Amino acid sequence: MKSPLSNRAVVLGITGSIASYKAVDLASKLVQAGAQVDVILSRGASQFVTALTFRSFTHRPVVTDLFDPDSELAVEHVALAQRAEIVVVAPATVHTIAKLALGLADDALTTTVLATQAPVLLAPAMDGRMYEHPATRENLHKLEERGVTVVGPAEGHLASGLRGWGRMVEPGELLGHIAAVLGHKGDLAGTTVVVTAGGTQEPLDPVRVLTNRSSGKMGYAVAEAARDRGARTVLVAAPTALTDPPAVEVHHVGTALEMGAAVAKLARGVAVLVMAAAVADYRPVETAPRKVKRGKQETWTVELTRTPDILMGVEGPRVKVGFAAETEDLLSNAREKLRTKGVDLFVANDVTSPGSGFGSDTNEVIILGRDGVVEKLPLMSKYEVAHRVLDRVAKLLPARR
Ligand code: C5P
């Protein structure tokens, strides 16, 4: 399983905004992810960035003018609209948004948007006051009602020197939204997948916590993979250094008890629960209300109490998946947990093996099913592992309706 964008036909329309420079990065990221990118530059965009820039790394002709007889693609705009699996307009200026809302087709980009049957994603970029204007709000609302995905704008520093809502969403984040739109008809479409990730933190006092080495990468990869297969994806995240995955509903929690409460609420009646979080098995009986001072005593004894097992206690999900990080007896431990925790699949990994486990981008796992099927996978990216797990989940789901 490669990137969700590999070999996908993406038409990238760029309109005239100072944020056009970010479209260079977006196009580059799309190409690196394996997409076939056809760029359409509006006349305004050509004032900020050049066709040559995009042609250099998309290795494809760039459309600049609908009526340019020298352009190979200009007269083919309908072919481009037909070939597109998604049309992305980034940045989308207030003027282009207004044209699209009205259904005008006075240049290559608006014509393509009108002629395509593919999903359309807009990343608006504009001055904060223009964004707040009722005309803009109305136009965006109208486009969303027609099924257009509008991502952003974000809040922050604007070219005017002011701060406000109007910044184009960053290219890395847009990539996730594009993957989500492309995956909307995937095998998990119509289902909700709840994923937990990260290592919980159990406070000893307001500044100290008991935690573990989980980076959260495996759980985040599962959330992204579920999103890219069309699932409505909910991520319950214990503290990590990772940024929230785009197009995923993220709930941040701290402790095992908080995670348990969030899962009980969010996983009720859903199709799938994947518990990839490293949940504390024990937590301090008491949390000091103020920082515990370094005193005269040589030792500090902390009494711990067992946390409830979230996987075992949760009711509702049709398919439940557990993760086991082990340092010894991988298979027998995982088999035992599969039985006692009442889950459908258990993903076991030896966190001491090179390239596996904490902090790594790769993982070497064994997937054990209640059906007795044991899959030993070679070392692969956590995103690929996530898809292999979801392949098994997707097979189980039809029988659990
Ligand atoms: O027994 P162990 O902690 O190794 O089991 C790991 C699996 O159980 C993981 O899927 C983890 O998210 C889940 N777990 C849980 N509640 C706990 C501890 C672990 O759901 N209190």
Side-chain angles (χ1 to χ4, degrees):
M1 176 83 190
K2 287 175 251 134
S3 136
L5 291 155
S6 103
N7 289 321
R8 307 304 292 267
V10 177
V11 169
L12 174 61
I14 298 156
T15 65
S17 149
I18 182 60
S20 305
Y21 80 90
K22 288 192 194 172
V24 177
D25 187 27
L26 177 60
S28 163
K29 284 192 159 71
L30 286 166
V31 170
Q32 284 175 51
Q36 296 162 8
V37 185
D38 283 300
V39 170
I40 306 177
L41 278 186
S42 77
R43 201 172 303 136
S46 305
Q47 304 286 316
F48 290 94
V49 284
T50 71
L52 180 65
T53 314
F54 292 98
R55 191 175 185 137
S56 305
F57 52 78
T58 63
H59 306 294
R60 298 164 86 86
V62 170
V63 181
T64 50
D65 187 346
L66 187 56
F67 306 109
D68 174 6
D70 297 330
S71 164
E72 297 157 50
L73 279 168
V75 286
E76 257 202 283
H77 63 274
V78 177
L80 206 56
Q82 275 169 356
R83 187 159 76 229
E85 289 178 80
I86 183 169
V87 178
V88 178
V89 186
T93 58
V94 82
H95 186 64
T96 300
I97 288 166
K99 286 200 289 184
L100 294 176
L102 273 176
L104 295 180
D106 67 340
D107 62 9
L109 177 58
T110 47
T111 307
T112 304
V113 172
L114 220 56
T116 194
Q117 304 244 300
V120 176
L121 183 151
L122 302 182
M126 61 197 65
D127 169 70
R129 292 205 186 90
M130 290 167 106
Y131 176 59
E132 297 299 339
H133 197 284
T136 309
R137 306 308 290 253
E138 216 171 281
N139 287 333
L140 284 172
H141 182 66
K142 199 184 280 180
L143 288 164
E144 281 184 307
E145 279 197 324
R146 279 184 213 148
V148 169
T149 302
V150 177
V151 181
E155 195 190 14
H157 174 80
L158 300 173
S160 60
L162 302 171
R163 284 189 70 80
W165 292 92
R167 279 174 69 84
M168 187 177 107
V169 166
E170 295 304 318
E173 197 182 332
L174 283 178
L175 223 57
H177 286 277
I178 292 168
V181 172
L182 282 170
H184 74 295
K185 286 190 183 144
D187 60 357
L188 296 178
T191 65
T192 296
V193 176
V194 176
V195 184
T196 66
T200 62
Q201 296 187 350
E202 312 302 324
L204 288 160
D205 69 16
V207 297
R208 301 181 180 97
V209 293
L210 285 182
T211 187
N212 57 67
R213 293 187 196 278
S214 170
S215 67
K217 285 182 179 172
M218 190 60 241
Y220 275 56
V222 174
E224 284 171 5
R227 171 200 71 193
D228 297 346
R229 295 167 84 130
R232 172 182 165 254
T233 307
V234 180
L235 176 64
V236 181
T240 72
L242 306 171
T243 45
D244 289 357
V248 168
E249 182 185 315
V250 186
H251 297 258
H252 292 279
V253 296
T255 63
L257 290 183
E258 284 166 17
M259 180 166 278
V263 169
K265 193 170 88 191
L266 297 163
R268 194 174 301 142
V270 304
V272 185
L273 170 66
V274 181
M275 284 287 304
V279 186
D281 291 315
Y282 289 88
R283 65 181 175 86
V285 173
E286 277 176 42
T287 301
R290 275 181 284 278
K291 184 181 170 190
V292 176
K293 294 254 182 333
R294 184 187 159 91
K296 288 208 176 68
Q297 75 278 17
E298 284 295 321
T299 57
W300 174 12
T301 305
V302 177
E303 194 186 351
L304 303 176
T305 177
R306 215 168 55 190
T307 58
D309 194 292
I310 301 171
L311 254 184
M312 232 158 20
V314 69
E315 279 174 26
R318 298 206 294 276
V319 174
K320 290 198 265 180
V321 183
F323 271 74
E326 302 289 350
T327 55
E328 60 205 339
D329 300 331
L330 188 60
L331 257 183
S332 56
N333 278 335
R335 274 212 180 89
E336 176 64 14
K337 283 177 190 174
L338 181 69
R339 201 177 53 76
T340 53
K341 296 208 183 206
V343 298
D344 302 280
L345 297 169
F346 230 95
V347 186
N349 72 310
D350 178 352
V351 287
T352 61
S353 89
S356 270
F358 306 126
S360 159
D361 290 324
T362 52
N363 217 352
E364 190 177 338
V365 305
I366 302 175
I367 308 176
L368 295 93
R370 196 146 48 143
D371 51 10
V373 180
V374 177
E375 248 180 303
K376 194 170 175 348
L377 301 179
L379 188 70
M380 55 178 76
S381 72
K382 286 185 171 172
Y383 182 74
E384 283 175 286
V385 170
H387 275 291
R388 299 295 283 266
V389 174
L390 293 175
D391 288 344
R392 296 278 296 263
V393 168
K395 274 198 201 119
L396 290 172
L397 267 176
R400 307 281 171 87
R401 296 236 175 248

